[in-house]
Amino acid sequence: IKQAKSKILDLAIHGKLVPQDPNDEPPIELLKRINPDFTPCDNGHYTFDVPNGWNWCKLNDLCSFLSRGKSPKYSEDDKTYPVFAQKCNLKEGGISLEQARFLDPSTINKWDSKYKLQTGDVLVNSTGTGTVGRTRLFDESYLGKYPFVVPDSHVSVVRTYEEINSEYVFAYMSSQLIQQYIEDNLAGSTNQKELYIGVLENLYFPFPPINEQQRIVQKIEELFSVLDNIQNALEV
């Protein structure tokens, strides 16, 4: 089932999971609305061909905020403002704030509002052998009773412009191809691997039309649901 999910993501990022529609708006039009100075990357920059109508760009072209978090000052007593750490990106999938530590309330004004995590943020663990590269998709429902959560310096936040489907970005970054790219571009020693933000900024990204992004995400959800049901049946 794990291999099947990996294959689904691989097909998705190569434009082979759903058919292309020639009536879709060319993605370069969206990219130029976001940034009038946008210049598309040449297909030769990357290792596979994309369908006609897709554009290569860099991840940084898609983001309103792309940054690692900051080093917080913690409070041992006040449990109001959680800090998102690597362990919040669960190994088995999903996100949990159950083991989060908490900000010293006197330091809140040092955190710009852009650091408060939002629905659609792609969160990438950026330090530590065995966890670096782990990628999850944030939703504000994970906050529960908490007013907000901010990331520590070991987690990178990939926040796309509203016009872009963040679930498609998450699917791309979760694919085996990009997980291997991250692994191949880590810095640091064996025991303390680092994913520098520049590696993410310069990640080449195959960008389909927005309508196709939505079709891809819908098909992934549909197929993953079938596989999850099989998994659950096998575990009974």
Side-chain angles (χ1 to χ4, degrees):
I1 287 174
K2 184 178 179 181
Q3 289 176 335
K5 287 184 173 182
S6 179
K7 182 61 176 179
I8 289 165
L9 294 181
D10 184 64
L11 291 171
I13 68 175
H14 285 82
K16 297 179 180 179
L17 188 63
V18 300
Q20 281 72 53
D21 184 342
N23 296 314
D24 286 342
E25 179 190 54
I28 195 168
E29 300 298 328
L30 172 57
L31 291 166
K32 286 187 173 181
R33 283 200 298 274
I34 293 169
N35 176 13
D37 297 323
F38 170 75
T39 302
C41 301
D42 189 310
N43 276 17
H45 281 294
Y46 213 61
T47 56
F48 62 88
D49 292 329
V50 294
N52 290 332
W54 289 32
N55 279 112
W56 281 106
C57 60
K58 290 187 178 181
L59 182 61
N60 200 40
D61 295 322
L62 309 178
C63 293
S64 59
F65 183 60
L66 176 55
S67 175
R68 285 175 73 151
K70 300 197 294 184
S71 297
K73 181 180 179 183
Y74 291 110
S75 169
E76 299 303 325
D77 303 314
D78 192 293
K79 307 292 186 184
T80 307
Y81 308 109
V83 177
F84 197 99
Q86 296 157 299
K87 59 188 174 184
C88 298
N89 275 345
L90 300 177
K91 184 176 181 180
E92 60 272 20
I95 284 170
S96 173
L97 299 180
E98 286 187 8
Q99 297 186 57
R101 296 178 68 187
F102 295 86
L103 273 183
D104 182 330
S106 68
T107 66
I108 288 177
N109 60 355
K110 297 180 180 179
W111 291 78
D112 190 284
S113 61
K114 64 188 176 184
Y115 284 96
K116 296 177 180 178
L117 297 183
Q118 304 174 11
T119 294
D121 285 350
V122 179
L123 305 176
V124 186
N125 288 0
S126 296
T127 306
T129 302
T131 182
V132 65
R134 187 180 300 164
T135 303
R136 302 287 182 260
L137 186 66
F138 187 77
D139 188 280
E140 289 172 36
S141 62
Y142 289 121
L143 286 173
K145 63 182 180 180
Y146 300 119
F148 62 81
V149 60
V150 293
D152 72 12
S153 59
H154 303 297
V155 175
S156 294
V157 181
V158 180
R159 180 177 301 150
T160 61
Y161 291 102
E162 290 183 3
E163 299 89 341
I164 293 167
N165 192 312
S166 58
E167 293 178 85
Y168 174 75
V169 175
F170 171 62
Y172 180 64
M173 296 187 66
S174 301
S175 70
Q176 183 58 41
L177 180 73
I178 300 309
Q179 288 293 303
Q180 188 61 53
Y181 164 84
I182 289 173
E183 178 69 26
D184 291 343
N185 286 278
L186 297 176
S189 64
T190 302
N191 294 326
Q192 191 62 15
K193 291 292 188 181
E194 292 279 347
L195 173 62
Y196 292 144
I197 199 69
V199 173
L200 294 178
E201 289 173 341
N202 292 304
L203 170 62
Y204 285 106
F205 196 98
F207 194 69
I210 185 62
N211 288 341
E212 187 171 348
Q213 292 177 38
Q214 293 163 353
R215 293 195 299 272
I216 289 170
V217 166
Q218 184 176 3
K219 178 59 72 171
I220 290 172
E221 290 176 349
E222 175 188 322
L223 295 173
F224 275 27
S225 177
V226 171
L227 291 170
D228 288 340
N229 288 338
I230 293 172
Q231 181 75 56
N232 292 335
L234 292 171
E235 291 173 352
V236 171

